[in-house]
Amino acid sequence: EETKQNLSNAKKLGHKIMAKVQINNSWEMAIVPYVPVFELVKEHMQNLKNLGVGGLMMSWTLGGYPTVSLDLANKVFEDDFDYDKWLEQHFEDCAPKIKKAVSLFSEGYKSYPYDIRTLYMSNQECGPSNLMYPKRTGYTATMVGFPFDDVNSWVGMHTIESYTSKLSALLEKWEHGLALLENVRGNNNVSELIRYAKVVYINLKSTLVQIDFNLKRENGNKQELLALVDEELALTKQLYELSSQDACIGYEASNHYYFTQNSFLEKLINLKYLKSLYEN
């Protein structure tokens, strides 16, 4: 409400009003050029349009990229904007399935456990490339760099239970959305969207797995820990394959690459070591 009042006052004084937005990557998920949550982008742009915003600052330190999401943000401001036609323009015959999947992604993303400390300290950027440790390291997570095993910093203002509950709700919707796209084949935009949707899912799922592991590693039974290591191993291999297909994955303008192929090789060695501990 304070912002609305400030904008109204600015307009009365003859100022143009603009909004800083992050439509491409942001600290919520900086390792893909965009997150496929078009309904949220559309809603946000329509709200800004209704407020009389006439210009957008489209980037910050994370950089930008000419994505379909950026195009959507621009087109919403046009008077004759039609979401279904926009989907058809970019995704052709696959538009109906993309629309259904993106609707699930958008609904799920509303459960993102937002907090400024979470954005900077949690594991959503590193995902499976983050090493796992059999005992607590005592290391403190660093800002958008190395999350280590500092779960308390990962969850920010949330309790661990609240944080994991929100992530689980998000991931449940994304699982349904990805299932709709499992056998979908289309143009480059379709392939790109599916890749980025998978990366988002993998990194957030890995964060959930690592939290569970870190909470149980000291006193948990070996079978539980081994199951979590195996789950993380599958996620590591999936992200390794996806990042090998697309150089945009893992890249962010101010930090460059969060992970490379060698990061995953190191993680595979790390997980092999953990398996040797829990299989005996």
Side-chain angles (χ1 to χ4, degrees), residues 145-174:
F146 303 96
F148 298 115
D149 56 346
D150 185 12
V151 172
N152 288 328
S153 291
W154 294 9
V155 302
M157 69 175 182
H158 304 278
T159 63
I160 292 174
E161 292 76 14
S162 169
Y163 184 88
T164 56
S165 175
K166 287 176 179 291
L167 266 192
S168 296
L170 186 159
L171 290 167
E172 183 179 2
K173 293 288 186 181
W174 279 64

Side-chain angles (χ1 to χ4, degrees), residues 6-8 10-11 15-19 48 51-56:
N6 287 339
L7 294 179
S8 176
K11 288 170 68 177
H15 294 291
K16 294 180 179 179
I17 57 174
M18 299 179 67
L48 292 176
L51 285 173
V53 168
L56 300 173

Side-chain angles (χ1 to χ4, degrees), residues 33 61 87 93 100 103 137 149 175 192 211 246 248 250 274:
T61 57
L87 287 168
D93 294 341
K100 289 180 181 179
S103 179
T137 65
D149 56 346
E175 285 173 5
E192 186 178 76
I211 289 174
D246 188 335
C248 293
L274 291 176

Side-chain angles (χ1 to χ4, degrees), residues 216-236:
K216 293 176 178 176
R217 61 188 168 181
E218 303 282 354
N219 302 307
N221 70 64
K222 289 185 176 181
Q223 287 305 114
E224 278 188 310
L225 295 172
L226 191 58
L228 289 168
V229 170
D230 285 337
E231 191 170 7
E232 181 75 358
L233 178 61
L235 294 169
T236 302

Side-chain angles (χ1 to χ4, degrees), residues 8-38:
S8 176
N9 291 339
K11 288 170 68 177
K12 289 176 183 177
L13 293 170
H15 294 291
K16 294 180 179 179
I17 57 174
M18 299 179 67
K20 173 187 171 292
V21 294
Q22 200 75 38
I23 300 303
N24 284 328
N25 57 4
S26 71
W27 291 130
E28 290 144 322
M29 186 58 63
I31 57 168
V32 285
Y34 74 93
V35 177
V37 287
F38 300 146

Side-chain angles (χ1 to χ4, degrees), residues 2-280:
E2 182 180 350
T3 298
K4 290 179 182 178
Q5 188 59 54
N6 287 339
L7 294 179
S8 176
N9 291 339
K11 288 170 68 177
K12 289 176 183 177
L13 293 170
H15 294 291
K16 294 180 179 179
I17 57 174
M18 299 179 67
K20 173 187 171 292
V21 294
Q22 200 75 38
I23 300 303
N24 284 328
N25 57 4
S26 71
W27 291 130
E28 290 144 322
M29 186 58 63
I31 57 168
V32 285
Y34 74 93
V35 177
V37 287
F38 300 146
E39 290 188 1
L40 299 184
V41 173
K42 179 164 62 75
E43 178 185 354
H44 189 44
M45 293 301 102
Q46 286 172 337
N47 287 340
L48 292 176
K49 183 179 179 181
N50 293 339
L51 285 173
V53 168
L56 300 173
M57 176 182 171
M58 300 302 297
S59 184
W60 193 234
T61 57
L62 294 89
Y65 186 78
T67 66
V68 291
S69 192
L70 199 63
D71 183 67
L72 173 62
N74 179 49
K75 294 294 171 54
V76 172
F77 277 86
E78 297 179 359
D79 292 334
D80 60 347
F81 172 73
D82 184 307
Y83 182 50
D84 288 322
K85 288 182 179 179
W86 180 85
L87 287 168
E88 290 174 8
Q89 175 190 348
H90 289 283
F91 302 103
E92 298 172 346
D93 294 341
C94 299
K97 286 189 176 180
I98 292 292
K99 183 178 182 180
K100 289 180 181 179
V102 164
S103 179
L104 287 164
F105 296 154
S106 299
E107 186 62 32
Y109 218 64
K110 292 178 182 178
S111 296
Y112 188 98
Y114 183 88
D115 176 55
I116 191 66
R117 287 184 66 204
T118 290
L119 296 190
Y120 287 149
M121 303 297 187
S122 194
N123 188 50
Q124 72 272 2
E125 319 294 3
C126 295
S129 69
N130 188 43
L131 299 180
M132 290 160 60
Y133 307 87
K135 293 183 180 180
R136 185 175 179 275
T137 65
Y139 298 151
T140 301
T142 67
M143 179 177 170
V144 294
F146 303 96
F148 298 115
D149 56 346
D150 185 12
V151 172
N152 288 328
S153 291
W154 294 9
V155 302
M157 69 175 182
H158 304 278
T159 63
I160 292 174
E161 292 76 14
S162 169
Y163 184 88
T164 56
S165 175
K166 287 176 179 291
L167 266 192
S168 296
L170 186 159
L171 290 167
E172 183 179 2
K173 293 288 186 181
W174 279 64
E175 285 173 5
H176 293 316
L178 286 171
L180 292 177
L181 299 176
E182 190 170 355
N183 296 310
V184 172
R185 301 290 182 271
N187 61 20
N188 288 336
N189 287 336
V190 173
S191 302
E192 186 178 76
L193 182 143
I194 294 172
R195 276 200 304 276
Y196 297 158
K198 287 179 178 178
V199 170
V200 173
Y201 176 84
I202 289 168
N203 270 40
L204 294 179
K205 181 68 172 179
S206 173
T207 299
L208 205 57
V209 168
Q210 290 187 44
I211 289 174
D212 200 12
F213 175 84
N214 289 335
L215 294 177
K216 293 176 178 176
R217 61 188 168 181
E218 303 282 354
N219 302 307
N221 70 64
K222 289 185 176 181
Q223 287 305 114
E224 278 188 310
L225 295 172
L226 191 58
L228 289 168
V229 170
D230 285 337
E231 191 170 7
E232 181 75 358
L233 178 61
L235 294 169
T236 302
K237 290 179 178 179
Q238 290 170 36
L239 189 57
Y240 178 92
E241 181 178 354
L242 287 166
S243 63
S244 299
Q245 296 169 5
D246 188 335
C248 293
I249 294 171
Y251 183 81
E252 184 276 309
S254 61
N255 290 299
H256 301 290
Y257 278 99
Y258 274 102
F259 44 71
T260 63
Q261 290 188 337
N262 281 341
S263 305
F264 297 117
L265 296 178
E266 183 181 17
K267 183 62 176 282
L268 292 175
I269 294 170
N270 170 228
L271 293 174
K272 183 177 181 181
Y273 169 70
L274 291 176
K275 282 175 71 74
S276 71
L277 292 180
Y278 305 133
E279 284 177 337
N280 299 324

